[in-house]
Amino acid sequence: MQFISVAVFCLVFIPSWCLENLVFPPDFKFGVATAAYQVEGAWNVNDKGESVWDSVLHSQPSLTMDRSNGDVACDSYHLWRRDIEMAVELGVNMYRFSISWPRLLPTGFPNIISEDGKRYYNDLIDGLLEKGIEPVVTLYHWDLPQSLQDLGGWANPLIIEWFADYAKIAYTLFGDRVSTWLTINEPLVVCDGAYNKMWAPFLDDMKIGRYLCNKNVMMAHAKAYRIYDEEFRPLYHGKLSMPNIFFWFEPETPADAEVSDLLLQMWEGRYSHPIYSKTGGWPPEIEKVLAENGKREGYRQPRLPTFTKEEIDFVKGTYDFYALNHYTTRLVRKEKPGQAGPWPFYGCEELDVSVVNDPLWTTAVTDWFAINPEGLRKQLHWINSTYGVKDILITENGLPTVEKDLNDFTRLTYIKSNLEQILLAIDDGINVMGYTAWSLMDNFEWSSGYLVSYGLYSVDFTSPNRTRTPRDSARFYYSVIRTRSITSRQNELNYV
Ligand code: BG6
């Protein structure tokens, strides 16, 4: 008789006894996340500059499903003390928020540093530290100064210097108190999303702009990393990374294995390989496919701009841990040339593949969000084995609902199952450093406006006070943090 190991058995079946004795390691950190444009509001107070989101949604409100925008959002600009209080109520170790570039640098350039912007982020950082909560700061969560977009935005290679100047100012102002920095949130969204009319500035340029942006974000991140490494790390000993959004992809049938790997490289590899791989540069298989596609289409230069040898070395290794935003899984199916689904965002059109859901997975809100927690564990293994990265921080994970109820059992279950997968991955030997729930509270969910919620706390957007109220998922998260485990007693624990 052949025995399978406990780890393999648990990977496949996950009965409760697999988890019963598992606890989060003592240095595992729990957190919650938000982003400036989604929560701050106060879009034009004092000298704040206009961001691409301000400008495009003021001129074209129909770009969001409810014609809303982030002018007021959760009003965290005024209500940040309550946000800290909520983080304290949950008992989290870290709060991830982003700095609004145009709030700190109204012109986008370092010629003016806003006193008001400085004060706001100093207050928030100091307020968190007073309560023993670590500020985890994202430099860029999609609210590019409109002034820089007018100059070409992420397609202009000068943005590498613009971003570096901004990063240096942020490190100088806040680096003495912030020791975890995240450079550019989900570069895939910044490039593939924004150049596919899905996120501001809603451009339509998937052939060229998307890939110019791809190279420039990698270089901008690397430059910001190198500046920190050389000038600030010796003083403050902090850590940096760039959070990647990472759908897990699996082949629909064994025959789709090759294209499924290719789609992983198109999504994750294009934004990870240059930084984390031993060789650096673009994933070779993607560089090859895109070069062939471009040639066939009559382009004389590769659409995905090549890296020079110096650039490869400059970008390679610019990380202290892998920052992962994980939400969902897709199955990948090979298609005949020209028959890929209409999803340029996924890169299907470049690879002749479709992405579909497994009928066994339930979906949340829309069918883009399939619930398959096992995908997270597989993905953690993939990162670990593909890049040999030692440490992984989950910088986002959460579930959208249309219902605004305080009883949010589906979100609670989603978070629970993902935490279970993390415990199992840790047990497999992968160093998951922490988990960050998206989101602390309901907020402006980009093109879904306020129709979709991810919050552990609900927010009453009809009230001028933007009243925040904990959901059941908040109580659950609190009890996990308190016990540092997922036990059957969880539901009995009271929330403070
Ligand atoms: C992540 C983003 O990709 O997904 C968050 O970093 C965002 O800012 C979250 O709110 C949910 O995305 P969406 O598109 O459902 O609002």
Side-chain angles (χ1 to χ4, degrees):
M1 176 163 165
Q2 217 180 1
F3 290 96
I4 56 174
S5 73
V6 173
V8 172
F9 183 79
C10 287
L11 174 67
V12 182
F13 300 107
I14 320 185
S16 57
W17 60 262
C18 289
L19 298 157
E20 215 38 40
N21 297 318
L22 296 182
V23 290
F24 290 97
D27 54 353
F28 186 92
K29 291 179 184 169
F30 292 95
V32 278
T34 59
Y37 186 74
Q38 295 180 272
V39 300
E40 283 179 5
W43 75 278
N44 61 352
V45 293
N46 291 300
D47 54 351
K48 180 181 169 293
E50 205 180 29
S51 77
V52 287
W53 281 95
D54 295 323
S55 110
V56 79
L57 293 186
H58 289 156
S59 61
Q60 298 178 66
S62 59
L63 289 171
T64 56
M65 278 157 58
D66 55 0
R67 302 180 67 87
S68 67
N69 58 43
D71 284 1
V72 181
C74 305
D75 200 16
S76 286
Y77 176 81
H78 296 107
L79 301 173
W80 57 272
R81 287 186 188 80
R82 173 69 182 127
D83 298 346
I84 296 177
E85 192 177 272
M86 284 142 56
V88 171
E89 286 169 2
L90 290 166
V92 292
N93 313 104
M94 50 184 184
Y95 177 45
R96 176 186 172 204
F97 64 90
S98 75
I99 295 177
S100 158
W101 185 342
R103 190 180 299 287
L104 191 61
L105 304 184
T107 63
F109 293 101
N111 61 323
I112 298 171
I113 301 177
S114 163
E115 281 304 319
D116 187 60
K118 227 159 71 176
R119 176 201 55 77
Y120 177 67
Y121 295 112
N122 271 327
D123 283 350
L124 182 55
I125 291 167
D126 291 343
L128 287 164
L129 290 172
E130 265 167 38
K131 299 290 180 189
I133 298 170
E134 180 190 343
V136 172
V137 177
T138 315
L139 287 169
Y140 181 73
H141 202 122
W142 311 345
D143 43 358
L144 188 71
Q146 181 60 42
S147 53
L148 303 186
Q149 185 55 45
D150 294 341
L151 298 171
W154 286 102
N156 184 343
L158 290 175
I159 200 161
I160 301 161
E161 297 304 327
W162 304 336
F163 184 70
D165 287 344
Y166 162 54
K168 190 166 174 173
I169 286 170
Y171 303 151
T172 307
L173 294 175
F174 311 120
D176 56 339
R177 285 152 294 148
V178 172
S179 50
T180 306
W181 291 95
L182 301 168
T183 54
I184 298 165
N185 184 63
E186 297 179 359
L188 178 100
V189 168
V190 176
C191 301
D192 295 43
Y195 285 80
N196 189 31
K197 301 174 287 180
M198 294 170 80
W199 280 270
F202 293 89
L203 304 166
D204 185 6
D205 187 0
M206 288 298 271
K207 290 279 185 200
I208 304 293
R210 165 204 209 175
Y211 295 115
L212 295 177
C213 171
N214 194 164
K215 180 173 175 191
N216 294 337
V217 289
M218 303 315 292
M219 293 294 291
H221 155 80
K223 180 119 198 186
Y225 181 93
R226 300 261 175 228
I227 289 173
Y228 188 86
D229 204 34
E230 282 152 30
E231 298 174 38
F232 296 88
R233 197 194 300 277
L235 299 173
Y236 304 131
H237 315 290
K239 292 186 170 182
L240 262 88
S241 191
M242 175 163 73
N244 267 315
I245 187 164
F246 203 148
F247 277 29
W248 177 242
F249 293 112
E250 290 182 2
E252 188 182 32
T253 68
D256 300 307
E258 201 178 316
V259 287
S260 176
D261 283 352
L262 211 52
L263 194 59
L264 270 177
Q265 291 297 346
M266 184 73 185
W267 258 59
E268 350 293 1
R270 248 184 322 128
Y271 296 95
S272 293
H273 195 276
I275 297 175
Y276 300 95
S277 70
K278 299 267 174 306
T279 48
W282 301 119
E285 53 278 59
I286 291 299
E287 195 166 20
K288 181 164 170 273
V289 170
L290 295 181
E292 285 167 4
N293 290 355
K295 217 173 196 174
R296 208 174 37 248
E297 293 156 356
Y299 291 96
R300 294 191 53 196
Q301 305 290 332
R303 291 195 276 111
L304 180 69
T306 44
F307 281 117
T308 63
K309 170 81 180 72
E310 288 71 33
E311 289 170 340
I312 288 176
D313 291 341
F314 187 71
V315 179
K316 195 170 64 180
T318 53
Y319 71 94
D320 299 310
F321 56 92
Y322 196 104
L324 169 67
N325 292 359
H326 168 88
Y327 286 92
T328 188
T329 304
R330 273 292 175 293
L331 294 182
V332 184
R333 177 191 296 164
K334 175 136 193 66
E335 301 285 6
K336 294 205 175 70
Q339 289 188 5
W343 303 291
F345 180 56
Y346 292 105
C348 297
E349 84 295 0
E350 299 273 17
L351 306 176
D352 294 323
V353 299
S354 294
V355 290
V356 292
N357 275 348
D358 187 322
L360 294 174
W361 298 334
T362 50
T363 57
V365 187
T366 55
D367 68 355
W368 79 263
F369 201 111
I371 302 178
N372 175 43
E374 289 79 8
L376 172 55
R377 185 179 179 192
K378 292 179 189 166
Q379 184 170 77
L380 291 167
H381 275 273
W382 187 88
I383 294 170
N384 193 254
S385 59
T386 308
Y387 301 123
V389 172
K390 283 214 303 287
D391 305 320
I392 304 173
L393 179 66
I394 297 188
T395 36
E396 279 182 36
N397 177 247
L399 181 90
T401 55
V402 177
E403 306 78 38
K404 309 275 178 185
D405 309 356
L406 296 180
N407 176 332
D408 58 341
F409 187 69
T410 47
R411 178 172 300 104
L412 185 160
T413 311
Y414 174 90
I415 293 176
K416 179 170 184 276
S417 343
N418 279 280
L419 287 170
E420 284 170 354
Q421 294 299 319
I422 292 168
L423 273 176
L424 292 168
I426 293 174
D427 199 47
D428 298 336
I430 295 180
N431 184 25
V432 185
M433 304 153 66
Y435 173 87
T436 317
W438 183 271
S439 172
L440 171 60
M441 62 190 146
D442 295 346
N443 56 53
F444 174 78
E445 282 299 341
W446 311 114
S447 55
S448 309
Y450 299 95
L451 298 180
V452 163
S453 312
Y454 281 80
L456 297 177
Y457 281 69
S458 86
V459 175
D460 180 358
F461 290 103
T462 61
S463 141
N465 301 328
R466 297 296 192 268
T467 312
R468 288 109 153 105
T469 313
R471 292 200 165 100
D472 286 353
S473 55
R475 295 174 213 288
F476 168 77
Y477 196 41
Y478 160 78
S479 69
V480 172
I481 297 170
R482 214 181 87 173
T483 59
R484 305 195 68 80
S485 64
I486 300 169
T487 69
S488 39
R489 293 182 303 104
Q490 219 90 56
N491 298 339
E492 299 159 21
L493 292 166
N494 288 323
Y495 188 65
V496 282

